[in-house]
Amino acid sequence: MKRIGILTSGGDAPGMNAAIRAVVRTAVYHGYEVMGIERGYCGILEDWMTPMNSRSVSEILQKGGTILKTARCDAFNSKEGIQKAVEVIQKREIDAIVVIGGDGSFRGAEDLHKAGIPTIAIPGTIDNDLGYTDLTIGFDTAITTVMESVSKLRDTSSSHERMFVVEVMGRNCGDIALFAGVISGAEEVIVPEIPFSLPEIAHRVKRGMSGGKSHYIILVAEGATDPYIFTKELEELTQIHTRLAVIGHLQRGGSPTATDRLLATQMGARAVDELCKGRSGVAIGLQGHTLTAKSISEALAVRDTLNMELYRLAEILAR
Ligand code: F6P
C-alpha cells in the first residue's frame, strides 16, 4: 500500500476535520501518500482530488464542518457508479479509502470494499444513530449546542412563564433530544422511538405550572412529530402561551468539543492502523472507553436502540 484516499460524506459533523487531520498525519508517519477527495463519493466519480500532507491539515483541529466538503451522491449508488469509482481509484493509483460519515456513507464504503477496494469507515454524524458504536463524531458538540440554546430559552421561558417547544435534529433517532434533554433539564423529551400522548403531556404541563414551575421546556426530536402542529395543539389543550424554537443546522456547526476532538483523533489514527494491518471493510467504533474495529456489515446490522435507563432518568428528574 502506497497511497490512501480520504473523503467525508453525508451531513457534516463537528470533529470531521480532527479525524481528517489524524488520518493524514498517521498515514504520513507510516510513509504513505494521501489524496484528499472532495465532496464525498461525487469526488471519486468526478476525480476531484488533491494530494495532502501534514501541512494541509494545519489549524483544522478546532474547525467545524469539513475542509474536504461533503455531499450526498446519488450517482454513486448504482452498479455503474461503483464500477466508475473503482476505475477512477485505480487510475489515481489509490490503494485504500477512508470514509468519514453516517450510515449511508457506510453502505458506500461496504460497496467499495466488496468491489475490491480496501476501505475503512469512521462514524461521523451528529445523529448518533449507528447502533454498533456508543458515540459518533459530532454528537457531543451537537448536544452541547442544544444545551446552550435551551439555557437561553429557559431564561425567557421563566420570565414570561411560557412553555417552549424546541425541535432538534436526529433524523429517526431520539439521541440528540434525549441526551440534550437530560443535560439541559428539559421537562419533556419526545423521541421517535417512544409513542406519546398529547393529552397526557398537557396534563403534566398544567400540573407542573400550577405546582410552581415558571417554565416548561419540551425537546422534540425531528423524527417524532410535526413540531408546528404539536405546538399549536398543546397550546390549545393547556391554554398556556407557547413558542416553538427550531434550532436546525446550528446543531451541525461550531468548533468540536474536547470529547469530539479526542474521539475523532483516536478513530482517525485507528483507521490507518487497520489499513496497515491489511484489513478492509472495517468500521471503527467505541464501546465504553475502548475503540473497536468490526466489519462494516456487522456494524450496520446492529439495531440502534434508545437508552431506556436514561429516558427513565429524564422522566424522574423532570418532576
Ligand atoms: O444526518 C445529519 C442531519 O443533520 C439530520 O439530523 C437531519 O435530519 C439531516 O442531516 C438534515 O439534512 P440536510 O442538511 O440535507 O437538510
Side-chain angles (χ1 to χ4, degrees), residues 11 72 125-127 169-171 222 249 252:
R72 296 186 167 98
T125 164
I126 63 164
D127 299 335
M169 282 186 163
R171 273 198 300 170
E222 65 176 345
H249 289 78
R252 285 239 298 259

